[in-house]
Amino acid sequence: NDPSKKISFTRFIRDQDLVIVYERHDTMKAVKVCEGSILQNRFGVFKHAEWIGKPFGTKVFSNRGGFVYLLAPTPELWTLVLSHRTQILYIADISLVIMYLEIVPGCVVLESGTGSGSLTTSLARAVAPTGHVYTFDFHELRAASAREDFEKMGLSSLATVAVRDIQGQGFPDAYSGMADSVFLDLPQPWLAIPSAGKMLKQDGILCSFSPCIEQVQRSCETLKSNFTDIRTFEILLRTYEVQEGKLDGGCRGDEGVPLGALPCKRRQRSSEGSNVPENSSSTVVMARPCSEAKGHTGYLTFARLKCIS
Ligand code: SAM
């Protein structure tokens, strides 16, 4: 529990720290600071030595006057930069998982599979400083890579990775009745649900992520015997680019006019009773769906263990 290893917004960057080098919202990468190393990108050459001792969030300059920001490796940023060894959960789903699993500091959480560790990183922060995440994957290499990542981020005291076939063997008996919540991201979650039920404390909550509705239906059938409050959610994200701009002439549906611009009628009404001529160019707020908006990722099914009175 070395406090100097914890992610912090106020701490200063040290040799061997992991930093997120931010160029723009869609161009970031994780870099381990090494005193003698350099980072070279389209903005020039950056010396790591010049980063050491600066607080996270600092803007640093290259030999050519270009700049990047050095950000702390928060779970949100980590999810955007990690190397994808599997499909991963993104932050919209992750936030719902943490909220509906009622995860708070001190909780014990079981997870399978670990995958690329995207969810695990956020779970670990949510249970800190006294709780723990035990995460299982049957793929040895993935488990080892996730373990290395958690080490790099200083999360080893909060997340333990183990190799195990959870669908075939279930969770280890050692965790029976100890988990506040269990999260499953497995191809056949219904095979692991009976074991997950045994791991949960009375009133504990389970969540299962599945990309198709047929898997959800099958899981719900299995959940019915020991769980209650079964609910399935699908999060659909739509991001808008919002800009201010000038709109000239009439309303056109062509490329010259952003699709989400305020409709003509409204613009006309706003000029009624004023001395602004209808056809003059005016400043409008324009919004159009962003091309990088993520659509369906999967369904999240939550269920609470039935109380045995
Ligand atoms: N939720 C993870 C994340 O956010 O990074 C991604 C999980 S990934 C989609 C699914 C993982 O389940 C894979 O790494 C796979 O190896 C693992 N898996 C599949 N079957 C398994 C089983 N029977 N036991 C344990 N892990 C399994």
Side-chain angles (χ1 to χ4, degrees), residues 87 89 115-119 137-138 142 164-166 185-186:
Q87 298 268 21
L89 257 68
S116 306
S118 171
L119 174 67
D137 204 296
F138 70 174
R142 279 181 206 148
R164 189 172 172 96
D165 174 3
I166 295 297
D185 183 354
L186 292 168

Side-chain angles (χ1 to χ4, degrees), residues 82 85-90 94 111-120 136-139 142 164-168 183 185-187 209:
L82 58 77
R85 300 176 285 266
T86 61
Q87 298 268 21
I88 66 164
L89 257 68
Y90 291 93
I94 292 175
E111 179 196 23
S112 186
T114 313
S116 306
S118 171
L119 174 67
T120 323
F136 301 87
D137 204 296
F138 70 174
H139 193 289
R142 279 181 206 148
R164 189 172 172 96
D165 174 3
I166 295 297
Q167 291 181 175
F183 180 86
D185 183 354
L186 292 168
F209 175 91

Side-chain angles (χ1 to χ4, degrees), residues 12-40:
F12 295 91
I13 296 166
R14 291 167 312 183
D15 194 22
Q16 303 302 308
D17 270 346
L18 188 73
V19 297
I20 308 293
V21 175
Y22 175 102
E23 290 180 26
R24 29 178 274 172
H25 76 283
D26 56 357
T27 319
M28 289 180 248
K29 73 175 192 173
V31 173
K32 190 172 178 185
V33 179
C34 294
E35 195 160 4
S37 299
I38 55 155
L39 168 78
Q40 191 153 10

Side-chain angles (χ1 to χ4, degrees), residues 54-271:
K54 302 224 160 71
F56 278 107
T58 300
K59 184 175 180 179
V60 289
F61 293 87
S62 72
N63 59 336
R64 300 204 323 252
F67 63 85
V68 294
Y69 291 91
L70 303 177
L71 305 182
T74 61
E76 288 81 4
L77 292 177
W78 182 248
T79 285
L80 297 175
V81 301
L82 58 77
S83 52
H84 285 214
R85 300 176 285 266
T86 61
Q87 298 268 21
I88 66 164
L89 257 68
Y90 291 93
I91 216 68
D93 286 317
I94 292 175
S95 349
L96 196 83
V97 168
I98 290 177
M99 185 170 67
Y100 278 72
L101 283 181
E102 299 173 7
I103 298 174
V104 292
C107 279
V108 171
V109 181
L110 302 187
E111 179 196 23
S112 186
T114 313
S116 306
S118 171
L119 174 67
T120 323
T121 313
S122 285
L123 293 175
R125 181 183 59 183
V127 302
T130 47
H132 206 90
V133 182
Y134 298 93
T135 182
F136 301 87
D137 204 296
F138 70 174
H139 193 289
E140 290 198 19
L141 209 60
R142 279 181 206 148
S145 304
R147 208 175 286 123
E148 267 175 41
D149 283 350
F150 302 153
E151 178 75 31
K152 272 196 261 172
M153 286 193 291
L155 295 176
S156 302
S157 61
L158 295 167
T160 304
V161 190
V163 177
R164 189 172 172 96
D165 174 3
I166 295 297
Q167 291 181 175
Q169 301 170 272
F171 289 97
D173 287 339
Y175 301 105
S176 283
M178 281 179 57
D180 296 281
S181 36
V182 174
F183 180 86
L184 304 175
D185 183 354
L186 292 168
Q188 296 171 293
W190 52 91
L191 296 178
I193 287 172
S195 161
K198 284 188 201 143
M199 300 301 123
L200 285 169
K201 292 178 182 168
Q202 283 240 358
D203 231 23
I205 310 172
L206 174 141
C207 175
S208 177
F209 175 91
S210 290
C212 0
I213 202 72
E214 291 76 11
Q215 290 169 329
V216 174
Q217 284 168 325
R218 196 139 178 208
S219 296
C220 289
E221 281 306 313
T222 311
L223 283 168
K224 274 185 201 161
S225 37
N226 286 316
F227 288 82
T228 175
D229 297 345
I230 303 168
R231 290 186 291 175
T232 298
F233 297 84
E234 181 191 26
I235 297 195
L236 296 174
L237 268 191
R238 178 170 287 188
T239 312
Y240 285 88
E241 275 173 22
V242 181
Q243 291 171 349
E244 258 195 11
K246 293 268 183 222
L247 209 58
D248 295 315
C251 261
R252 303 188 306 266
D254 62 19
E255 282 180 20
V257 179
L259 290 175
L262 288 180
C264 267
K265 275 188 188 157
R266 179 142 168 230
R267 285 190 294 119
Q268 282 166 6
R269 236 181 288 133
S270 68
S271 68

